[in-house]
Amino acid sequence: MFKRRKPLSYARMWTEMFYPRSGWRRASKYVLHRLRRLPDRPHRVARGWACGIFISFTPFFGFHFMGAAALAWLIRGNILAALLGTFVGNPLTTPFVALTSVSLGRWMLGVEGRFTPHLIFDEFTRAGSELWNNLLAPLSAERTAHWDQLLQFNEQIFLPYAVGGLLPGIAVSVAAHYMTVPVIRAYHRHRARQMAERIARAKARRNRELAEKP
């Protein structure tokens, strides 16, 4: 019933991950519109939104939804707002987040060695392939597990990313929380005024109809 008449191809879905059909500006407005309309208290919505943003600064790709929902549940935030907050970590922002987090983490941990921006994503892709190979190795005689490369990836990229993303993640999520609360409050007041005006107009119309009856 709610399916597309013409399903999207995998190529189209992949393209829209990087550039939505309606554009990033409209997609961002839609997320913010949904955030304002969530039927919950402003502080709960803001806490959930902050959780989603914070998770976007972590290297746990593929688990951001679950991590944001769990964190929102833990601090009693709105879980749907947390899921919306993860969209802050999109293909446009993730390269900058990753570069900042890994650079800061390597500096904090004193990790030495050459480091380039494209190395982050190359290493994540390689680590994912090696992890999948190692998981299938016990099931196939043609595969051999190699854990030493994953240990190097953890030391050079993953751990610095996790450590370096804490400070900017906390700073941005806390700022987003305190910026979101007044926006949602103002929107709720606006909706309450609109509802009161509609009720008043309906009562006035009803009174006129009763007065006009013989």
Side-chain angles (χ1 to χ4, degrees):
M1 178 177 179
F2 297 102
K3 292 182 179 179
R4 292 175 177 266
R5 293 183 179 180
K6 185 179 180 182
L8 291 177
S9 64
Y10 288 107
R12 184 61 186 174
M13 287 190 291
W14 181 256
T15 301
E16 291 201 4
M17 286 180 61
F18 292 90
Y19 190 80
R21 181 181 301 179
S22 58
W24 280 111
R25 175 179 293 183
R26 187 169 180 180
S28 301
K29 288 182 177 179
Y30 173 76
V31 171
L32 294 176
H33 178 69
R34 289 297 305 272
L35 182 71
R36 292 197 306 265
R37 293 178 64 89
L38 289 177
D40 206 344
R41 288 172 294 176
H43 279 289
R44 281 178 52 84
V45 174
R47 283 199 296 264
W49 175 250
C51 290
I53 294 177
F54 174 77
I55 291 296
S56 299
F57 281 80
T58 66
F60 303 105
F61 299 110
F63 299 95
H64 281 178
F65 270 20
M66 290 185 290
L71 187 57
W73 176 82
L74 185 64
I75 66 173
R76 297 182 179 181
N78 186 284
I79 294 179
L80 183 55
L83 300 184
L84 291 174
T86 60
F87 285 97
V88 171
N90 56 67
L92 293 181
T93 60
T94 297
F96 299 100
V97 171
L99 180 61
T100 301
S101 299
V102 175
S103 301
L104 181 60
R106 289 171 68 93
W107 175 76
M108 293 172 65
L109 297 174
V111 178
E112 299 179 354
R114 298 184 59 186
F115 167 71
T116 55
H118 72 271
L119 178 64
I120 301 174
F121 301 99
D122 289 345
E123 289 297 322
F124 265 100
T125 302
R126 187 177 306 160
S129 300
E130 290 177 355
L131 181 60
W132 181 248
N133 174 78
N134 294 350
L135 293 176
L136 296 179
L139 306 177
S140 174
E142 299 178 356
R143 296 177 181 268
T144 304
H146 301 283
W147 296 102
D148 54 334
Q149 296 179 357
L150 286 175
L151 292 175
Q152 183 179 359
F153 163 76
N154 179 71
E155 178 184 348
Q156 295 290 325
I157 302 295
F158 188 83
L159 186 57
Y161 197 142
V163 173
L166 290 176
L167 293 179
I170 291 173
V172 175
S173 59
V174 169
H177 174 273
Y178 286 104
M179 292 174 62
T180 303
V181 170
V183 172
I184 297 177
R185 282 179 175 169
Y187 179 78
H188 286 182
R189 287 194 296 267
H190 174 68
R191 293 281 294 178
R193 285 195 300 268
Q194 284 186 329
M195 184 60 65
E197 291 173 358
R198 289 177 184 175
I199 294 173
R201 287 196 299 266
K203 287 183 178 180
R205 185 167 56 250
R206 179 62 177 169
N207 292 334
R208 287 195 303 269
E209 292 174 355
L210 291 175
E212 292 173 357
K213 286 184 178 180

